[in-house]
Amino acid sequence: MDPREEKQFKQTLQINNFKLALSRFENLVELTAAQKREERAGLFIPKEEVIDCDKFYELVQQFFGPEVKNQDVKCFYRKLCNKPNASIDWCEIFGYFSTEEDPLAAQLDEENLIFLVSRKQRIVISGSRRRDVIKSIVKIPQLDLLITASQKGLITVFNNQMKVQSRTNVTDTSWITGCDYLAQLKRIVATTERTIIVWDYKAQGSSQDHYFVIKPMDHCLLCVCVVTLPDQLCRDEILLGDDGGFVNRFTVNSDDFGLKQAKTKKKVQSQILDSKNFKSTKRKLHNDWVMKIRYIPALNCFGSCSLDSVHSLVLESLKRLEDNLPVREFAMPRGANTFCYCLKANVIVTGGDDKILRLWHPNISTKPVGKLVGHMFSITEIVTNEKDQHVISLSSAKVFRVWDIQTLSLLQVFHDSQGGPGDMQIYSMVYDSMHGMLITGSSVMDMYPLTRMVQDTKQIPHTHEREINVMLYNKSFHQVLTICSESIIKVWELDTGLQIYHILDPHGFGVELTCADIDENGVLFATGASNGTIKIWDFISGQEIKVLLEGKDWKEEDHWLQRLIFLKGHEKQKYLILALESNKTIKMIQGKEEDISLTVLWELPDVIPYLQLSSHTVHLKTKDMNDTIPFHAVELIAQKSFSQNVRSPAISTEVNCIDLLEAEGFNLIVAGTLNGMIILWNFTTSSVKDVYRPEDCFNTDPDLDPKRYRINDILFLFRTPECARKLSQDSICSSTQCDSSKGPQSSKGSKQSIHESEVKGEQTDNVSEQQTASKKHLAATTIVEAQPPLLVTANEDGHLRLWTMEGKLLKDMLPFTKHSAISLTSLYTDSCNKILLAGNMEGHVILCSIGAFLDPPHDEKKFKQLLSWRAHSLEIVQVAYVEDKQVVVTASVDGSVRLWHAVNGHYCGYFGQRRALDLTMAMDFILPCDVTECPIEIKEESRFTEKKQKYEYPLIFDRERWKNMSSMSLLFRRAPPKAFEVEHDFKYFKSLSSPKIRRCALEGFMTENREAGIVFGSLPIYRVTRKRSLKRTLVPQINLAASFFPIMNKLELLRMPPRPPANCQWPLTSKVSKSHSSGPFPLFTELRMVLADRGSDSDALSREAIELATQKAQN
């Protein structure tokens, strides 16, 4: 077939395929519109046939391919749901929506710019010489340091706070042309016109200004680059470009600088090394000056550019410098001044005197793949922003242009207008990806921040003008609903952060909205107000559907709604809502399809007085049997002698929070009260009981805090059979992967998902039982029984507590947040109960892994806290977890709703910001301006280690061992010495032993505070060279009675003077007089005093002790 005919055939085939896709798309739109019309008419549609947003997006992707964007499809689907009968254009599926915004005004808006020029920071380098300029700037990402080298020899190192860490002044007659960092040698290399400077920036004192000078060089050096190869240790490769078109390769080792210090006593600032002693190679690659040289690790090659029009850019491996084989050459008119490489796009961008940016594929040197035109002067510098896929180019007129490398479009143009064109020329430019900053060097150093970095770190996040009352996540549409105390409802798109619509004063002017809930399908949401009114809305369009009007005799304080919970939809009773009022009343609200008004179906009776005086369980009697409603109206079966007014008015027993569980075999309502009681209503067994009741919860002591037992939030933890089956299959897959691998892999340095880390944690606990347990799992995949639900409470004392339905406490944990106990305010869990989120009064978020804990027998050690971070500076109202995105959404009374990465607690953004949200895992770490604490990741020691680590402990004194070795064991009953006294003993060193008692404490682990280990004090060990006579070493103020006694007979003992009175104070260590220097009486008198101090009132007891000691001494 002719190539022209083949091309025409392919075009015809593509057109036919596109027409087929359009016809399928039209049928899908008609089917979806018909379903929406049926839903509005009140017809029931099976869950399997419902076309939700995710299913609609998958089908559209099948028709048109992956080029269709998710955001465009969502907008199209939302429009289709709001207006099923409206005309639909297929172009809208590709994002071609009509807009009324002025694109020019959006471009001129400062908040939409890439770099915020108005926030430019300027640093004047002090210590530089007059008329000095910054010739080179290098960023070291692994150390977060910035190196600058001025033309007249000042080399400065800045830390991450842009403070000067170290500096030196090179006293060379030549100007500095470039600098770089030697990663292996931990030194800085700089080039002058004829020499190479190597400086150890970490040196202290007078040696800080010492540097090495390598010379001579054959040509004038113009640029420098360091090559760090992974297989080389203590060695770096230096690439140099000169004015002769040569590329030089120098190899430097640590031995070249470590031992070559000057032997003279006079300290010299510089030490000259001969360049001939270094291994070097060079090759002529250009016919003009080498303007820039860089090493590209991703391509495993270096690149050098020149003003040569034929050999403008050379891209080759380092081996080509040692031979004369042909190299890859890129030619362009008037050569290239600079170039850079973009890793994601895999293109090389060059710029030169012809004012054109060219994009080259690394393997195609004949023709560029793209061109960017717009500069009016020569291009001097080019850098890339890998994360945002931006290219920043600089011209000699100090004009900056920011380009999108994917669309080849111009995003921003700005220039530096300060100074004249000659004395403020910009010589160097670098992009700091860690801090989102563009840094330029001239006579000063200017830093241009990214607009998004300023918005995220300098501006206070504001989603609403007032404090947030409600924040809910719609799983079906991936949208977030927020309500503030000013009664404004806003709906946000999760992926982009854009506001979809808002509703002002939904319950009337001045009526505050206090609670809300979204139904299971995500189609409806209900709102409750402070006056007791309830409204049901269509989530897609925001239209009001049903309303519960305010009663005539209602008081606002009594019917203040605290919580709304949607029940599962039923065919006859489509709208069922459980409501909690401030007067502790729990109501069931129903709405019929033919009636616009909502009605109260029943109210739960007050059961607390009966539970207080009777047993822990009270039986219920069903009033009316309605098969369509699983929660029937009930009344209490109680003795008549119980009065409902037995409760003390000083005790707050109102219900503070509720939760509902509607599953197969379980129809439960649980309530947490202000005095700490947990009340469980079981509609299956027709009973109500207090799961837990504190002992003194009804105590009216005014000295006790009435809020000490308050439960702020309560939640059911229940896994459906589908979730249990899915988790069992995941555990089987993970166990087979673990068996196939040779050994455990360390996850340090790599971020996994929360669910993967949890499965991995389950493997670590059961490594030895995986082979036997895998067979049981295989048998259990077909039949999985649902386990009974558990309860989790967020308490006022800051503790998380997990309970069984019988009231047994399974886990009591105080979350670790670097602070003392803080009251918990909100709880949230995912659909399969793998993750538990909690928020507290001071803005902290606690993320725990509970997947393995929920499996019987509920091992306490499997409840693990993974993360803790400060999300807000004030109280958190509600938290939510997005499973597919692994994002945590938090709402606070500070008026902001913020998003965080669940893997590491890093900040994503907030709803209401000007730029679009980016939920991808970003490399740069930023925090809001009102948060200064970094996330805390709770780590555990690996349990795969075959041999436990052996610790070397310092020796400690073992008193029991000393007693066994000494013949005077009875003398150790005396009181121990004081802290400032030293106890001398000559058997001390033989009594030293390792701390066996504390060894278990070192290897122990506490799940509460995560503290392990103990710190021992160091003891000096002395060596005794020769033995000395004890009699000769008698010196004042040394007591030897505890270690030495001369041999005496019994007669001499009996001639001893009697025991002195109790009020007599004799010095225990006094000088012995000449008359008694040879006698033992002072020593035995001291012995009698010691025994007397120990409480021996009888002289016979003292004599027996002395006789026994004397016999042992004689033996």
Side-chain angles (χ1 to χ4, degrees), residues 126 151 172 272 286-287 295 382 391 404 449 484 509 575 625 689 701 711 726 750 754 769 790 805 832 977 1021 1024 1102:
S126 60
Q151 192 177 50
D172 198 302
I272 300 175
H286 306 276
N287 295 328
Y295 181 75
I382 302 173
V391 173
D404 190 339
C484 68
F509 180 76
Y575 308 102
M625 297 296 294
K689 65 177 182 178
D701 189 356
I711 299 175
K726 180 181 178 181
S750 61
I754 298 294
E769 302 177 359
L790 302 180
M805 305 301 294
C832 290
I1021 304 299
V1024 180
S1102 302

Side-chain angles (χ1 to χ4, degrees), residues 291-303:
M291 303 299 296
K292 185 80 68 177
I293 186 167
R294 285 177 179 171
Y295 181 75
I296 306 174
L299 301 179
N300 195 19
C301 65
F302 75 94

Side-chain angles (χ1 to χ4, degrees), residues 9-19:
F9 175 74
K10 289 182 179 180
Q11 291 179 353
T12 306
L13 186 61
Q14 289 179 357
I15 293 173
N16 294 334
N17 292 338
F18 186 75
K19 289 182 178 180

Side-chain angles (χ1 to χ4, degrees), residues 40 413 492 629 854:
R40 292 195 171 190
V413 179
W492 310 85
I629 301 177
L854 294 184

Side-chain angles (χ1 to χ4, degrees), residues 997-1009:
I997 298 177
R998 298 181 182 178
R999 187 184 299 273
C1000 59
L1002 279 171
E1003 298 178 356
F1005 187 77
M1006 297 178 64
T1007 58
E1008 300 300 329
N1009 54 9

